[in-house]
Every structure is written in C-alpha cells, then in structure tokens.
C-alpha cells in the first residue's frame, strides 16, 4: 500500500513557479520598461519557464505555463499571422507573451492586443531594447532555486516527521512540527469535517476555528489563497483530511509540504492504531482534559468544541465520570439513546462524558437512563458520577471537576451504591477525599489506626471498614464476611483491643470511621 497522500490535482503536478506579475517586477525586467497592454486580469498566472521563440507556430512546442519572449520579426506586416500567433499561445496555455518593441513593431500591434484581450492572455511590451538572455537567465535561475528549495524543504519535513514517528511521538507533536515548517495553522479533520487536532499559533488557530463552519463547507472544494489540503487514507479508503490554513509560500511548496505531512500521518495512524487511542478519542481526551484542568479558559476552548462537532449554542451541559467504563461502550450507549457528547478515557481508568442536551431535555432522567444501560449482569455495580447540569459553557470546567470529585469519593464505597451519584450523595467521604493530602489528616489517620496498621491486620481492617460502612450493623457485617455472629464478635473485640477504643461509643466510632476513610483515600 502506498503511504502517499491520495489527493492529487487532475492536471499535472505543480512545480515551483513565479507569477507573471512577479516576473515583471524583477529589476532586470524593469530596465526594459515593461507595459501590460492586454490581459491584465491574468497577471497572477504561474510562469513555469521562459521560452524565447520567433516561430509563428511556437504554440505546438509549449506544454503550458511558459512566458514567451519574441520580437515579432516573423509576424510583421501580416495581421492574420499576428492573430493566429496569439490564438496558438492561448491554446497552449502559455502564461504570457512579452514583445520587444523595435524594428518589427515600433508600437504595440493593435491586432495582437485585441486578440490577447479577447482570450485573456497577458501581452506585455518592452519599450526599451532589452537582451532576452538576461530575462531568461534571471527567471530560470530563480525557478531552479525555488525548485531545489522546495525539494530540500520536502526532505527536511519527511526526515523530521519520520524521526518523530520512530521515537513514538504523539500525533500532536507531529502536527506541531508541520505547523513550524509551514508557518500557518494546521487542522486535522475526519471526513465529516470535525476537527480532531490543530497546531500553530494559538490566536491564529482560534481565528480559523471561529469561522470553521464556513471553512468546513469549502474544505472539499478548490484550493486557493494559501489553503492547501491533503486527503488521508490507504487501501482505497479515505478517512481524514489535513489542511494548511493560510500558507504564505508558493502553492507548489505548500503542496509538497502537505503531501509529506499526509504521508507521515498515514504512517503514524497505521503504527499507532493497534495499541493507542483513535484520533477521535485523542481529540475528545485533549478537549476534556483542558476543560477540567482550567489551564485554558473555557471561552477559549469554545471554538474548538464547536469545530469538534459538539453543539454549544443554547444547550445544557451534563458533566459525568464513569469509573471503570470503556469509552467504546459509552459511545455505543450514547448512540443507542440518541445523545450527543464527548467521551474520553481519563488517566485513572475512569471515563469522562460531557453531554450536550437541548434545553427542553430532562438532564436528570437521561442521566438515569444512561446509568441503567451501563448496569448489566456482568457489571451490576456500575455507577455514574454526575455533576449538576450547566447552562453556561464557562461553568463546564467546574462541573467536570465536580464529577471527578464525586467519582473519586465513591471509589471503594462498594456497598449499595445508587446508579447515579451526585455531590450531595458523598457526604463525609467526599470531604475526606478533598482533604486526603493534608499532612495533618494523614497524621490523624495513622494515629487512630496505628494498632491495626502496624500489626498488618488486613483482615481486621476489612471487618472494621464493613462494620462502619453498614452503620455498625453486626448481622449485615457477619453476612458480608461469611462468618457467624460469635466469630464476628471476637473480631470486633480484637479490633477494639488493638485500637484502644469502644466501638459502641458514637464519638470514638466516628473518629475511627473518619480515620479509615482518610486512610483509604490516601491509599487510593
């Protein structure tokens, strides 16, 4: 399978070129006092080569894109030949014709001017004697230098991207490298035009994303004005698109750069697909991580969320965290319920979900339906940690942090958990989770539980944990540990002896319970 970009123009591949306008501003050309007498609208045509020719049928020797230089000596006195000459150059797709005024034509020939104007071919006359060899040498040397510079850039990009891939660099690092070489925003999308990743100067990228709806409509159309695209795919199937947004170099160099980047991205996807997250998952993960961390203001992430396909206008946002759930499973559940949202796996094995609901949808009921779908015979204790719904995008980061806190608080609380847990449900456990890293809390937990921790009494610690979690219910504790009540009584007596407390005393039992919650939070 070829790793090259599948996108190609229908015509010949582009080569480095100067425009007619650029050629006419060269110092050597200005010495000939050039004047555009026809076809001024075509001055941005690309000049791939300069050809000196006096033959009337020169068109048959051209392949397109040439600037033809002539004195017109074989055309003088024959208006039919003059008109046919211009038509021949037009059919050959010449870039322009430059006529040196002199003995053959002391003034611009009207027949050639009219013919050139009709077909839109730039006709330039030189009012001062000018050695064509100088113009040819100047333009050809510039084109050759441009061609070698483009090839050098292409190989430099290929080498740097290959090195990044072989070192295991993430997708974002590759795009950053492409943006550095191109000097413009780089956008990676799927075939639905949803933005998967971006790179480049932050303000420039944000400008692109703010106008993404319009840009996405044009993404499959023609290129121009520095917008260069390359399709990504392999084995006859396309699955993405790379866009250089506002590339300021010449189009041929931009095309080479985009193609080299596309090759690298296809290779990266092939090597990373078996073990890593998909690009869609990486995109959702990056956005949700940035939202939850608060390092980037939420309003700055709004264009990115919109470009990623998340509805954001007049919506209700529901931040959720589901411990132990696979993103693929949550994606399937969302599709089944007809819900829209971002799904991403977090570092601790939990999965974050940001639902985007219409204002008239019942957030609490839909969250409950999602949780019910997740509970199966294989996962009967699956739980959804939910933050309160947010109607303002700027409040979403706090909501994600709240959902993570709730998920963290219910970790280890395996007894009779509801399918949906909210902040109001975690009570003391939630507070202890927030304070678990405080040195004073750590010292308190070690001091209260010292008699069990130092002796390595793991079984007694488990019994104590269950006894306190059940509200000091001896029957329930004995049942959960599969022991008789007399056996449980002996274990409770051993616990009280080692800790030097009376578990029937509410204050002492509460103190040990808080210490145990802190200990478990620290261990978790």
């Amino acid at each position: 399978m070829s790793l090259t970009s599948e996108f190609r123009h229908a015509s010949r591949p582009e080569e480095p070129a100067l425009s007619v306008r650029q050629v006419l501003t060269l110092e050597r050309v200005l010495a000939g006092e050039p004047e555009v007498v026809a076809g001024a609208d075509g001055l941005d045509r690309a000049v791939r080569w300069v050809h000196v020719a006096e033959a009337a049928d020169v068109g048959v020797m051209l392949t397109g894109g040439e600037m033809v230089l002539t004195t017109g000596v074989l055309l003088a006195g024959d208006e039919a030949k003059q008109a046919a000459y211009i038509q021949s150059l037009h059919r050959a797709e010449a870039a322009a014709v430059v006529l040196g005024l002199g003995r053959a034509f002391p003034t611009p020939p009207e027949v050639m001017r009219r013919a050139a104007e009709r077909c839109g071919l730039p006709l330039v006359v030189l009012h001062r004697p000018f050695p064509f060899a100088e113009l040819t040498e100047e333009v050809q040397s510039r084109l050759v230098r441009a061609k070698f510079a483009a090839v050098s850039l292409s190989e430099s990009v290929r080498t740097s991207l290959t090195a990044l891939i072989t070192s295991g660099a993430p997708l974002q690092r590759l795009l950053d490298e492409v943006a550095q070489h191109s000097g413009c925003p780089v956008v990676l999308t799927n075939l639905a035009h949803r933005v998967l990743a971006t790179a480049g100067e932050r303000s420039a990228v944000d400008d692109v994303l703010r106008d993404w709806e319009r840009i996405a409509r044009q993404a499959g159309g023609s290129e121009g004005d520095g917008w260069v695209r390359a399709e990504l795919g392999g084995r006859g199937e396309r699955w993405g698109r790379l866009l250089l947004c506002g590339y300021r170099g010449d189009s041929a160099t931009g095309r080479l750069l985009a193609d080299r980047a596309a090759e690298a991205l296809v290779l990266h996807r092939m090597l990373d697909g078996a073990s890593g997250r998909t690009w869609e998952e990486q995109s959702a993960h990056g956005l949700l991580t940035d939202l939850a961390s608060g390092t980037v203001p939420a309003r700055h992430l709004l264009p990115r969320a919109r470009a990623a396909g998340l509805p954001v206008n007049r919506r209700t946002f529901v931040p959720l965290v589901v411990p132990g759930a696979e993103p693929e499973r949550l994606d399937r559940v969302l599709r089944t319920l007809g819900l829209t949202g971002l799904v991403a796996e977090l570092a601790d094995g939990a999965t974050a979900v940001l639902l985007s609901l219409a204002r008239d949808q019942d957030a609490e009921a839909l969250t409950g339906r999602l949780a019910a779908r997740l509970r199966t015979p294989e996962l009967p204790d699956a739980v959804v940690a939910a933050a309160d719904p947010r109607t303002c995008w700027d409040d979403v980061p706090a909501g994600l942090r709240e959902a993570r806190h709730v998920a963290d608080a219910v970790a280890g609380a395996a007894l009779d958990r509801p399918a949906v847990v909210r902040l109001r449900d975690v009570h003391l456990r939630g507070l202890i989770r927030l304070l678990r890293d405080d040195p004073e809390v750590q010292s308190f937990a070690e001091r209260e539980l010292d008699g069990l921790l130092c002796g390595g009494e793991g079984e007694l610690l488990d019994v104590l944990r269950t006894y306190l979690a059940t509200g000091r219910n001896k029957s329930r504790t004995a049942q959960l540990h599969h022991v008789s009540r007399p056996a449980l009584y002996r274990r409770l007596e051993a616990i009280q002896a080692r800790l030097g407390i009376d578990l029937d005393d509410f204050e002492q039992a509460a103190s040990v319970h808080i210490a145990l919650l802190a200990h478990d939070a620290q261990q978790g």
Side-chain angles (χ1 to χ4, degrees):
M1 180 188 67
S2 172
L3 297 180
T4 58
S5 163
E6 293 185 353
F7 176 87
R8 291 292 185 273
H9 291 292
S11 59
R12 63 175 180 275
E14 289 188 59
E15 295 180 3
L18 297 171
S19 67
V20 176
R21 191 187 308 276
Q22 288 173 319
V23 171
L24 297 182
T25 59
L26 297 177
E27 187 175 350
R28 289 188 179 184
V29 180
L30 290 175
E33 297 183 6
E35 179 189 2
V36 180
V37 297
D41 291 341
L43 292 181
D44 290 321
R45 289 182 176 184
V47 177
R48 295 190 309 106
W49 209 243
V50 178
H51 192 69
V52 180
E54 299 293 350
D57 60 347
V58 64
V60 299
M61 297 180 283
L62 306 180
T63 60
E66 295 90 351
M67 174 179 278
V68 177
L69 311 181
T70 183
T71 62
V73 65
L74 300 182
L75 304 175
D78 190 331
E79 292 186 349
K81 280 188 176 181
Q82 295 170 24
Y85 181 79
I86 295 296
Q87 287 296 329
S88 176
L89 293 179
H90 171 61
R91 287 192 297 271
E93 298 183 351
V97 57
V98 178
L99 175 66
L101 300 181
R103 283 180 297 176
F105 291 103
T107 60
E110 186 61 22
V111 172
M112 294 179 69
R113 190 197 67 77
R114 288 199 303 268
E117 191 65 46
R118 280 196 300 272
C119 63
L121 177 68
L123 172 61
V124 182
V125 297
L126 300 175
H127 288 278
R128 292 177 62 85
F130 183 82
F132 285 166
E134 289 189 10
L135 189 152
T136 302
E137 178 186 9
E138 177 75 9
V139 174
Q140 314 296 49
S141 64
R142 286 176 178 264
L143 290 176
V144 169
R145 288 199 300 270
K147 183 173 183 178
F148 277 106
V151 172
S152 177
L153 174 63
S154 172
E155 290 307 307
S156 174
V157 172
R158 188 201 300 270
T159 300
S160 61
L161 293 179
T162 301
L164 288 173
I165 292 172
T166 55
S167 67
L171 171 66
Q172 187 61 52
R173 182 67 187 86
L174 269 67
L175 293 179
D176 289 341
E177 187 74 13
V178 176
Q180 183 176 347
H181 283 286
S182 65
C184 68
V186 176
V187 177
L188 177 67
T189 76
N190 61 14
L191 292 183
H193 307 303
R194 291 189 174 182
V195 174
L196 304 180
T198 61
E201 185 181 347
R202 190 73 264 159
S203 60
V205 171
D206 288 344
D207 287 342
V208 170
L209 295 185
R210 269 190 287 271
D211 200 24
W212 185 250
E213 186 176 347
R214 178 187 63 81
I215 293 170
R217 289 198 299 268
Q218 300 175 354
S222 59
E223 299 177 340
D225 298 327
W227 293 80
V228 186
R229 75 180 186 277
E231 302 294 331
L232 307 176
R235 297 177 180 173
E237 179 184 4
R238 291 187 300 127
W239 34 256
R241 177 178 289 117
L242 178 74
L243 283 171
L244 305 185
C245 306
Y247 179 70
R248 295 183 180 180
D250 66 85
S251 60
T253 304
R255 164 59 39 212
L256 280 172
L257 180 57
D259 284 346
R260 295 297 83 77
E263 291 176 7
L265 292 175
V266 171
L267 179 59
H268 182 275
R269 181 179 172 108
M270 288 175 58
L271 296 177
D272 195 49
S275 57
R277 291 190 294 256
T278 67
W279 287 352
E280 287 79 1
E281 291 169 346
Q282 292 181 49
S283 173
H285 178 269
L287 180 55
L288 290 180
T289 299
D290 286 346
L291 277 169
S293 68
T295 55
V296 181
R299 62 182 180 277
H300 293 170
L301 297 172
L302 187 59
R304 188 169 146 197
R306 185 183 290 114
L310 185 73
V312 295
N313 294 331
R314 295 187 59 78
R315 306 289 288 188
T316 297
F317 303 102
V318 185
L320 309 172
V321 172
V322 187
E326 296 179 351
E328 296 81 3
R329 185 176 178 220
L330 276 165
D331 268 327
R332 289 195 299 270
V333 171
L334 292 186
R335 287 195 297 270
T336 301
L337 297 176
L339 299 177
T340 302
L342 296 176
V343 179
E345 186 176 7
L346 304 176
D348 56 4
T351 298
V353 181
L354 179 61
L355 296 180
S356 175
L357 307 178
R359 291 287 174 87
D360 59 353
Q361 290 182 287
D362 189 331
E364 187 167 345
L366 289 172
T367 302
R369 290 177 61 191
L370 185 150
R373 288 272 183 161
L374 291 175
R375 284 200 163 180
T376 63
E378 294 77 21
L379 292 171
D381 296 323
V383 63
V384 173
D388 290 334
R390 264 68 176 174
T391 56
C392 176
W393 176 257
D394 286 344
D395 294 335
V396 169
L400 284 168
R401 291 192 292 271
E402 178 183 314
R404 290 203 68 172
H405 167 60
V406 173
D408 193 29
V410 299
L415 299 174
D416 303 320
R417 293 184 302 186
V420 180
V421 182
R422 293 181 169 82
L423 188 61
R424 61 178 177 268
D425 301 319
V426 298
H427 306 298
L428 180 61
R429 183 181 296 272
L431 175 63
I432 295 302
R433 287 276 170 168
L434 288 176
L435 300 175
R436 62 184 172 185
D437 294 327
D438 186 290
E440 295 295 334
V441 174
Q442 293 174 357
S443 297
F444 169 77
E446 292 176 3
R447 184 170 62 250
E448 290 291 300
L449 300 174
D450 183 65
L452 294 179
L453 297 178
C454 292
E457 298 289 352
E459 182 184 357
L460 293 181
L461 203 62
D462 288 340
V463 171
L464 176 62
R465 184 180 292 109
T466 305
Y467 180 62
L468 295 173
T470 59
R472 297 186 292 176
N473 187 319
K474 295 182 176 67
S475 297
R476 179 63 172 153
T477 302
Q479 181 184 15
L480 290 172
H481 283 270
H482 308 289
V483 297
S484 64
R485 287 180 63 110
L488 175 65
Y489 294 156
R490 289 194 294 271
R491 285 170 172 77
L492 292 177
E493 289 171 359
I495 291 171
Q496 294 179 106
R498 283 171 171 76
L499 297 182
I501 63 169
D502 179 4
L503 288 175
D504 290 329
D505 182 276
F506 175 78
E507 184 175 342
Q508 294 183 53
S511 181
V512 172
H513 194 187
I514 292 171
L516 188 56
L517 289 175
H519 169 75
D520 290 345
Q522 293 157 15
Q523 296 301 310

